[in-house]
Amino acid sequence: MIKSVEKAFRVLESLSLAEGPMRLSDIARANGMTRSNAFHLLQTLQELDYVRQAEDSSAYEVTFRAFEIGARILKRTGLVSVAHPFLVHLSEQVPENVMLNVRDGIWNVVADRIESRSVVRTLAFLGARAPLQAVSSGKVLLAHAPESIVQAVAANLTAFTERSITDPAVLRAQMETVRTQGYAIAIGEVNADAKGVACPLRDRHGEVVAAVSIAGPMDRLTEDTASAYVVLLQDTIARIEAAWANGWRGAVEGARG
Amino acid sequence: MIKSVEKAFRVLESLSLAEGPMRLSDIARANGMTRSNAFHLLQTLQELDYVRQAEDSSAYEVTFRAFEIGARILKRTGLVSVAHPFLVHLSEQVPENVMLNVRDGIWNVVADRIESRSVVRTLAFLGARAPLQAVSSGKVLLAHAPESIVQAVAANLTAFTERSITDPAVLRAQMETVRTQGYAIAIGEVNADAKGVACPLRDRHGEVVAAVSIAGPMDRLTEDTASAYVVLLQDTIARIEAAWANGWRGAVEGARG
DNA sequence: TGTAGTGTTCTAATATATGGAACAATATAC
DNA sequence: GTATATTGTTCCATATATTAGAACACTACA
């Protein structure tokens, strides 16, 4: 572990988590380093263009460069661009938010998200992380993840609400159900009044690479609507898979107007 | 400039730019470092969870953690969440892509993007960077940027196409026009067949903090449609500004279902 | 006007990152 | 199938780059 690299990322994380620009001393204190040390790190990050000093004050803030790196990852697979228009179409048929999720280690990450016009309330922002076992899309992704991941998750079952899965046996059983029935549901397992349905999305080799989910507040997502959503999800996913398999890139990227 | 930090970010950038996972030796070669050096850097990045070894091979790839950092930046302002539903509404009225852009130093960055259902072709991906002077939204942002930024841009006018602005005087004149007429147009200045219109979005203090743009291929965006779009843009922006000023957060973020 | 805290520069000491050699494990060539 | 080249990884000694600390000018505030 290269110490200075670790520190640099700690500084970057502090800044990205802060409400606004941070002052040098605060950064130093927050990370238990001397001011001069923090200064050197910040100067480096600034030269690399990951951090800038806010135009008026001398406080530091992150630039969008970090965002750019991340955005490239999503762009690379092409999946997001292919899927996006289909998800938009789906979101027009349901009064809830639609999300494209991928797995990152033992986490569920929101790779794309379409807000329904009628929905004021968003339950997840782009890039949001959630434990795999506690959200519908995460369950789908976990059900098709390598055994090593399942073990890691099973060893770390924390209760966020009283409905959270805490028993590894229950987890395994649910995973089996998800695999056979082809969809997953999560009911208030990370946030008490949120509920979601999700289905797997496969690449041309049949590997599950993402999960599409519909999520909303508890009271609106009844049993009936949920099963109707599964049909919609599967239909949408079938189309995305077809488009993707055909090598169709939904977008010609790079140019601007 | 802390050397190891610089190297770590170089490695991260290489990985994020690569098509797929990269092997240790290639990373080392690409960045002119020894294998053992690259190994240590990668191990550090791996411990920090920014990089992982692809599940099958031993090749390295970036995780979504970098994306997460970036996504937090956007989330912080709240602007994106507030604006999003309005932009979706706008995109339903025009057969082109709608984008929310912010300025990052001398660059235009796409902070949010809504693809019109009817548009297969996307001209810009989330997080895309373009020179301020060459895209419509960039012109808007530059027209309201501090003098130091204008100078930096003016000193670096490169010709991407034959329509690109290369004369600082022309740039200054256009900036003045943009300020008085309240919108900007770019016609094939970075990509020959792309065109766009953009208007400024202000915060409650009247500061221009973003630009909303409509962009598409040259042939579809005529003079007439462009001026119609300006009206739509201004209408949409007025609503966003109102919603934002009222402290309305379009989304309650964090929870999942 | 005084006191406490801040951003930044400098220098010296040493903790630390680095290259190179060594090795087993793969990949590639023949 | 063997031989050869290349690869990922470990270890170590050394030089180098990182760090803490003192010093200073500046700001904020009482």
Side-chain angles (χ1 to χ4, degrees):
Chain A
M1 174 82 90
I2 297 177
K3 251 186 160 175
S4 50
V5 174
E6 188 199 351
K7 286 185 182 177
F9 277 99
R10 278 232 304 277
V11 167
L12 200 61
E13 296 236 331
S14 306
L15 286 173
S16 86
L17 283 168
E19 287 298 313
M22 277 180 97
R23 298 175 329 144
L24 175 65
S25 303
D26 295 324
I27 297 168
R29 231 188 322 263
N31 297 294
M33 40 181 82
T34 59
R35 274 177 296 149
S36 73
N37 196 174
F39 177 73
H40 285 298
L41 289 164
L42 283 165
Q43 194 159 280
T44 304
L45 289 171
Q46 198 167 8
E47 279 190 67
L48 295 172
D49 204 23
Y50 284 96
V51 155
R52 89 162 79 80
Q53 283 182 273
E55 270 147 25
D56 44 350
S57 77
S58 68
Y60 294 87
E61 60 187 1
V62 262
T63 68
F64 283 93
R65 185 162 269 270
F67 177 67
E68 201 187 1
I69 287 193
R72 273 202 288 257
I73 306 167
L74 296 180
K75 185 195 151 202
R76 196 173 60 201
T77 70
L79 173 59
V80 178
S81 0
V82 173
H84 192 84
F86 295 95
L87 298 178
V88 169
H89 183 66
L90 171 61
S91 97
E92 280 161 6
Q93 300 169 64
V94 297
E96 304 296 348
N97 296 311
V98 171
M99 283 170 286
L100 179 69
N101 306 270
V102 294
R103 181 172 67 78
D104 183 24
I106 59 162
W107 297 96
N108 181 291
V109 178
V110 179
D112 198 10
R113 146 228 70 161
I114 290 91
E115 272 156 64
S116 175
R117 231 185 322 164
S118 56
V119 178
V120 170
R121 174 164 187 179
T122 298
L123 293 162
F125 55 93
L126 207 55
R129 242 155 226 257
L132 285 174
Q133 78 278 7
V135 296
S136 61
S137 53
K139 286 182 183 180
V140 167
L141 294 169
L142 185 58
H144 299 277
E147 175 57 22
S148 61
I149 300 291
V150 183
Q151 268 168 27
V153 171
N156 260 322
L157 295 171
T158 26
F160 301 96
T161 73
E162 51 193 21
R163 306 188 80 145
S164 301
I165 302 176
T166 49
D167 180 355
V170 174
L171 182 74
R172 299 255 177 202
Q174 274 209 22
M175 291 302 99
E176 188 53 39
T177 315
V178 169
R179 272 191 296 269
T180 55
Q181 74 187 8
Y183 66 91
I185 295 189
I187 309 174
E189 291 166 36
V190 65
N191 186 281
D193 62 308
K195 187 167 168 178
V197 203
C199 292
L201 193 159
R202 298 161 193 273
D203 65 11
R204 68 198 75 184
H205 310 297
E207 286 264 347
V208 172
V209 293
V212 181
S213 62
I214 298 178
M218 196 64 101
D219 48 3
R220 250 206 319 262
L221 256 163
T222 66
E223 292 262 325
D224 291 351
T225 53
S227 51
Y229 287 174
V230 169
V231 178
L232 283 172
L233 279 169
Q234 287 174 341
D235 178 54
T236 303
I237 289 171
R239 291 198 233 170
I240 295 174
E241 286 172 351
W244 200 27
N246 293 339
W248 177 59
R249 310 273 89 164
V252 179
E253 291 164 342
R256 295 294 318 285
Chain B
M1 174 83 89
I2 296 177
K3 249 185 159 177
S4 51
V5 173
E6 187 198 354
K7 286 185 182 178
F9 277 100
R10 278 232 304 277
V11 167
L12 200 62
E13 295 237 331
S14 305
L15 285 172
S16 86
L17 283 168
E19 286 299 313
M22 276 181 98
R23 298 176 328 143
L24 174 66
S25 303
D26 295 324
I27 297 167
R29 234 189 320 264
N31 297 295
M33 40 182 81
T34 59
R35 272 176 298 149
S36 75
N37 196 173
F39 177 72
H40 284 297
L41 290 164
L42 283 165
Q43 195 158 281
T44 304
L45 290 171
Q46 199 167 7
E47 278 190 69
L48 295 172
D49 203 24
Y50 284 96
V51 155
R52 89 163 78 81
Q53 283 182 272
E55 271 147 23
D56 44 350
S57 76
S58 67
Y60 293 87
E61 61 186 1
V62 261
T63 69
F64 283 92
R65 187 163 264 272
F67 177 66
E68 202 188 0
I69 287 193
R72 274 202 288 257
I73 307 167
L74 295 180
K75 185 194 151 204
R76 198 173 58 201
T77 69
L79 173 59
V80 177
S81 2
V82 173
H84 192 85
F86 295 96
L87 299 178
V88 169
H89 183 67
L90 172 60
S91 98
E92 280 161 6
Q93 299 169 64
V94 296
E96 304 296 349
N97 296 311
V98 171
M99 284 170 288
L100 179 70
N101 306 269
V102 295
R103 181 171 68 77
D104 183 23
I106 59 162
W107 297 95
N108 180 292
V109 177
V110 179
D112 198 11
R113 147 228 70 163
I114 290 90
E115 272 156 63
S116 175
R117 231 185 322 165
S118 57
V119 177
V120 170
R121 174 165 185 178
T122 298
L123 293 162
F125 55 93
L126 207 57
R129 240 155 229 257
L132 286 174
Q133 78 279 6
V135 295
S136 61
S137 53
K139 285 182 183 179
V140 167
L141 294 168
L142 186 58
H144 300 278
E147 175 59 20
S148 60
I149 299 290
V150 183
Q151 268 169 26
V153 170
N156 261 322
L157 295 171
T158 26
F160 301 96
T161 72
E162 51 192 20
R163 305 188 82 144
S164 300
I165 302 175
T166 49
D167 180 356
V170 174
L171 182 74
R172 299 257 177 201
Q174 274 209 21
M175 292 303 97
E176 188 53 39
T177 315
V178 169
R179 273 190 295 269
T180 54
Q181 73 189 7
Y183 66 91
I185 295 188
I187 309 173
E189 289 165 37
V190 65
N191 184 282
D193 62 309
K195 188 167 167 177
V197 204
C199 292
L201 193 158
R202 297 159 195 276
D203 65 12
R204 69 199 76 183
H205 310 296
E207 286 264 345
V208 172
V209 292
V212 180
S213 63
I214 298 177
M218 195 65 100
D219 48 2
R220 249 203 323 260
L221 256 164
T222 64
E223 293 262 323
D224 291 353
T225 52
S227 50
Y229 287 173
V230 169
V231 178
L232 283 172
L233 279 169
Q234 288 175 339
D235 177 55
T236 303
I237 289 170
R239 291 198 232 169
I240 296 173
E241 287 172 351
W244 200 27
N246 291 339
W248 178 60
R249 312 272 88 166
V252 178
E253 290 164 342
R256 293 294 318 283

